[in-house]
Amino acid sequence: MDANAQTTAAIIEVRGLTKHFPIGAGLKLRQKAAVIRAVDGVDFAIHKGETLGLVGESGCGKSTVARTLMRLEEPTAGEARFHGEDIFSAGDARLKLIRRRIQMVFQDPYASLNPRMRVAQIIAEPWVIHPDALPRSEWAARIAELLQSVGLLPEHAQRYPHEFSGGQRQRIGIARALALNPEMLVCDEPVSALDVSVQAQVVNLLEKIQANSHVACLFIAHDLAVVRHLSHRIAVMYLGRIVEIGPVDRVYRAPRHPYTKALLSAQPRIDFAQNGSERILLKGEVPSPANPPSGCRFRTRCWKAQAICAEQTPPLVADRPQHQVACHFPE
Amino acid sequence: MPNADAPLLEVDDLRIEFRSGREIVRAVNGASFTVRRGETTAVLGESGSGKSVTAAAIMRLLASPPAHITGGRIRFNGADVLGAPMAQWRKRCGRDIGMVFQDALASLNPVFTVGWQIAEPFKAHGVLPAKAALERAVALLGRVGIPEPHARAHDYPHQFSGGMRQRVMIAMAIALDPSLLIADEPTTALDVTVQAQIMDLLLDLQRERHMAMVLITHDLGVVAEVADRVAVMYGGRVVESGLARDVLPRPAHPYTLALLESVPRSDIEQQQLNPIVGSPPNMATLPSGCAFHPRCRRATSECRAARPPTVKVAPGHHAECFYAQQVFDGR
Ligand SMILES: Nc1ncnc2c1ncn2[C@@H]1O[C@H](COP(=O)(O)OP(=O)(O)O)[C@@H](O)[C@H]1O
Ligand SMILES: Nc1ncnc2c1ncn2[C@@H]1O[C@H](COP(=O)(O)OP(=O)(O)O)[C@@H](O)[C@H]1O
Ligand SMILES: [Mg+2]
Ligand SMILES: [Mg+2]
């Protein structure tokens, strides 16, 4: 996909998003309370109808970004302006209105649906929370329409989640997320838990929804090929920070941050033409987010690291249009 | 002396059921494949297709009940595996076959140090006295890339990260220089950059020790990158097999072809993914005839009525489908 959505105004603008989780508090009273720096100063924007892919390895903070945006988790610092209004400082009434316009699709299609509710009740739940959204007389028709739009049948409305396969449950979760015609979807690894042969069904469904509803999307995944397929732009996270962000084709074809390069090269791929790049094997492991390296967090594993990398945190800078990288020695 | 050209491992028409109450789960339904000395054979299949149960049968790790081997043969180095007295096989298998599982935490013993656990086979097989065994364990830890192996040998499994635990399990598996390593989804639970490190280590060890490897995976990319041969499993049968470099670019089974078309690829432009309809079969209620027929674009009444023959489409390349030749010819 190409980046053509940039010209319109951002519908969400995130600045300095930070989330620290306290750990082991109270054991040593005089010691400064230790924290896990799950997300540590993240900036990005998403425009109308645009999908931003968020990638990075487990523990780098992707879900925490999603959960703080939804206020399922309170941020430690930062702001997230949705049409100019800060989600993080919104009171209960305002938050309820914002939540109506941003919906979330979760990773685990087994855990995210209430097993005691019928599909019809699950999809109608948002209308119970927002009674003015849709008159009750129209629920049944709209449920049938939503089920069809996600590739299920109207008669599925009377069934329970356990009667469905993983892929079908994810469709139900997506139907629920669409019930309020949101302007933005936050999808946290929506296909990761599905069988390989079923993932493509859900990827195609999300693609169809993008095309038909022009919904904006924060799409989180660790499968780089899936993200590439569905995103206009992509942000790469490492240890709580975004290290590179840009149009998807440019980042995949010419990554500028060494970590992005290593991550892309590590993905096992079917490449009969053998035109893939050399594999970069990173040394060591991801450091603990409780005690991240000074300066650039990737420097302890980077083959380009110099003294400055330990001393100064490289900011995300755009020295090429729309393509930002946080590195002292970018490609 | 076994003939050097004879296959190292032959699995022939293997059938395994799990019986519980009134239900019979037919986990393996006549699976056949061979593994040659020094080669990597990938067993590719989605979850539930019978890969792990097949591996457990080779190691004779299946508890009966509930598992019942109802047919077929397994030969290792020309000798019958399933009919051998258990004590004799355990001894043989412990030396000649190493196994690496997906979940290292579940397969390492939490109450012993990793050094003790790696040293154990040397002691058990009477190869070395305790002190020398521990020294060998330390050397092995170093070989598989554990930093400071002397110190780490005294740590317990939970003190290692996921990737490091996988290395510990690999050290254990190769300790007695087996001629076959069975690796059951050894990198599935790991992040891509760690996955690349572990695959690199496995391939390195394989070359260095001339080990054959059975690599169980659901990842087509992994197969494309590392396998010499591939056996594609569906519904407890091997539906296609051959050299990976023959099978993947030009599959002859509709399932293999559909799988290749359904995953996002980096080597070809795909406008849309081409998903496989439906979901993988329930092994307690397998479809009649060809188990793939409910999801197959080509299926005819023939496919519902009878199990298709194994068709040889090229030397060493077989597929179990009435239309294998047509699929192979791209018709
Ligand atoms: N509720 C929590 N309490 C403490 N630590 C947490 C909590 N949630 C997440 N973390 C930690 O924050 C970091 C980022 O987690 P997460 O956002 O889930 O990463 P990702 O989704 O990229 O895998 C990890 O180190 C994780 O262990
Ligand atoms: N102990 C067990 N009891 C009953 N069914 C089992 C047991 N182990 C595996 N199965 C079933 O056997 C089938 C094959 O499983 P498995 O070999 O683990 O699949 P995979 O290809 O994912 O490794 C599945 O349907 C699984 O549910
Ligand atoms: Mg997550
Ligand atoms: Mg398995």
Side-chain angles (χ1 to χ4, degrees), chain B residues 18 25 27 46-54 66 184-185 283:
Chain B
F18 290 94
V25 174
E46 291 177 80
S47 59
S49 59
K51 307 181 297 295
S52 296
V53 171
T54 300
D184 189 353
E185 311 240 12
M283 306 299 275

Side-chain angles (χ1 to χ4, degrees), chain B residues 133-158:
Chain B
L134 188 62
E135 273 164 27
R136 283 285 279 280
V138 170
L140 278 163
L141 283 173
R143 174 61 194 92
V144 297
I146 306 275
E148 301 171 58
H150 276 284
R152 297 307 311 263
H154 301 289
D155 286 344
Y156 293 88
H158 74 266

Side-chain angles (χ1 to χ4, degrees), chain A residues 159-191:
Chain A
R159 302 215 191 140
Y160 290 93
H162 74 260
E163 297 174 64
F164 295 91
S165 68
Q168 288 175 318
R169 284 183 217 207
Q170 201 54 296
R171 291 170 191 272
I172 297 167
I174 292 169
R176 173 180 60 187
L178 295 176
L180 293 168
N181 298 316
E183 285 167 67
M184 182 169 148
L185 286 177
V186 174
C187 302
D188 191 0
E189 310 237 15
V191 302

Side-chain angles (χ1 to χ4, degrees), chain A residues 21-23 36-39 56-65 73 188-189 220 237 289:
Chain A
F21 292 103
I23 40 166
I36 291 175
R37 297 167 178 273
V39 177
E57 295 175 277
S58 57
C60 72
K62 305 180 297 296
S63 294
T64 305
V65 167
E73 208 81 78
D188 191 0
E189 310 237 15
I220 296 173
M237 275 186 89

